[in-house]
Each structure stands twice: as structure tokens, then as C-alpha cells.
């Protein structure tokens, strides 16, 4: 039986692929930010804005596909086991879409930070976030070091 994820030709790799396409096609001239240029210059800002917008568009296209598939595909399996498997698949698919909905709000927050001139700088230390980190996670709000400290403190708080 095909799962809901397989029916759409989607899955965890599909979003990553969309993000990779945004990396490659983020700027029509093949531009990639370099540490040799001034940090968050207008060209870098435009590059990351395009990357974020492309990522958001890919997520929205996937969610539209899920929505139309949900409307077309009702759970009609006669066998209880097949129906249960389909319900599980849909549950996973909907949970994925919910996570992506939250991701869209993070993308929109990153776009606002670009508009405000705060994008690319750590919200804790104010230091520039490395271009490599922004390439890998364009919605990053902290440097790797600040993120690690934050996660350690969070873990200590949970353990108490």
C-alpha cells in the first residue's frame, strides 16, 4: 500500500531538495555569498531573501498538494488494517504540515529581520552568524556557540 507521503512523491528529502534548489537558484546570476565581502551587504541580503522566499514557496506548494490529495482521497479501504495504515499515514502527513506551518512563521520572521537590518546577526551576542550556518539554516537566529549554550541551559532546566 502506498503511504500518503509516497503518494505525493514527497517526504523529508523533498523539502531539503527544495532548500537545495533555493541555494543553487537563489540568485539568478549564480551568486553565492563569500566571507571576502562585507557581511550582509545588499547583495547578500537579496540572496538570502530569495533563498527564504523560494523555501517558503516550496513548502506552500507541498501543502497545497496535501490539501488537494486529502480532498480527493477519502479513506475508502474496506480492510480495517489498510484503513488504519492510511489513517496513520495521513496523521504523519498532517503533523509534517503542521511543523512546516511553524517553519513558515520562522521564515517570515527571518524576512522581517532582513527588512530591519538585523538578519545574520546573533540575537544573543550580536555577532555575525557564519555564512555557512546561514546557508545551511537560513532561519538561524544565533551563532553555533550561542545555540549550543542555549540548548545546554535548556537541557539543565528540563533536568531540574
Amino acid at each position: 500500500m502506498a503511504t500518503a507521503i509516497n503518494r505525493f512523491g514527497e517526504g523529508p528529502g523533498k523539502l531539503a531538495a527544495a532548500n537545495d534548489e533555493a541555494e543553487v537558484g537563489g540568485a539568478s546570476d549564480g551568486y553565492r555569498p563569500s566571507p571576502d565581502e562585507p557581511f550582509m551587504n545588499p547583495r547578500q541580503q537579496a540572496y538570502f531573501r530569495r533563498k527564504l522566499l523560494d523555501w517558503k514557496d516550496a513548502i506552500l506548494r507541498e501543502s497545497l498538494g496535501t490539501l488537494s490529495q486529502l480532498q480527493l482521497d477519502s479513506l475508502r479501504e474496506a480492510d480495517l488494517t489498510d484503513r488504519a495504515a492510511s489513517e496513520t499515514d495521513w496523521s504523519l502527513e498532517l503533523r509534517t504540515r503542521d511543523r512546516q506551518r511553524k517553519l513558515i512563521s520562522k521564515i517570515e520572521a527571518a524576512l522581517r529581520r532582513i527588512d530591519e537590518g538585523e538578519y545574520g546577526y546573533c540575537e544573543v551576542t550580536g555577532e555575525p552568524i557564519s555564512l555557512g550556518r546561514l546557508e545551511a539554516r537560513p532561519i538561524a537566529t544565533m551563532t553555533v556557540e550561542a545555540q549550543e549554550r542555549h540548548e545546554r541551559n535548556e537541557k539543565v532546566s528540563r533536568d531540574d
Side-chain angles (χ1 to χ4, degrees), residues 27 29-48 121 128-131 135:
D29 61 359
Y31 167 78
R32 296 210 42 136
S34 163
D36 299 335
E37 58 188 321
F39 187 71
M40 281 305 126
N41 63 58
R43 195 167 186 201
Q44 285 183 356
Q45 289 178 356
Y47 172 83
F48 284 110
Y121 294 92
I129 299 171
S130 72
L131 291 173
E135 281 284 349

Side-chain angles (χ1 to χ4, degrees), residues 6-153:
N6 290 341
R7 278 186 250 164
F8 298 124
E10 297 174 354
K14 200 65 159 178
L15 182 57
N19 197 11
D20 292 344
E21 289 169 17
E23 279 183 18
V24 174
S28 58
D29 61 359
Y31 167 78
R32 296 210 42 136
S34 163
D36 299 335
E37 58 188 321
F39 187 71
M40 281 305 126
N41 63 58
R43 195 167 186 201
Q44 285 183 356
Q45 289 178 356
Y47 172 83
F48 284 110
R49 177 183 304 281
R50 173 61 20 221
K51 183 177 182 98
L52 288 161
L53 289 171
D54 288 348
W55 192 11
K56 181 180 172 183
D57 289 345
I59 292 169
L60 291 173
R61 277 192 310 276
E62 288 178 24
S63 66
L64 287 175
T66 299
L67 205 65
S68 65
Q69 196 63 38
L70 271 171
Q71 292 169 344
L72 292 174
D73 246 7
S74 61
L75 297 174
R76 297 184 196 148
E77 287 88 353
D79 183 63
L80 289 177
T81 305
D82 288 344
R83 186 175 306 154
S86 290
E87 288 175 6
T88 300
D89 291 343
W90 282 117
S91 174
L92 288 171
E93 183 70 20
L94 292 173
R95 194 170 3 173
T96 299
R97 294 294 159 239
D98 188 50
R99 290 183 73 206
Q100 290 180 342
R101 179 187 53 81
K102 293 173 186 170
L103 182 58
I104 285 176
S105 69
K106 290 180 180 183
I107 291 170
E108 289 171 348
L111 291 167
R112 278 191 303 277
R113 286 194 309 276
I114 290 174
D115 293 339
E116 295 165 1
E118 297 173 2
Y119 182 81
Y121 294 92
C122 180
E123 66 183 12
V124 175
T125 65
E127 297 173 4
I129 299 171
S130 72
L131 291 173
R133 177 159 170 75
L134 291 172
E135 281 284 349
R137 185 144 180 90
I139 58 173
T141 60
M142 293 184 247
T143 61
V144 171
E145 297 79 15
Q147 183 72 41
E148 287 172 347
R149 274 193 309 274
H150 174 74
E151 289 172 4
R152 273 195 305 272
N153 291 339

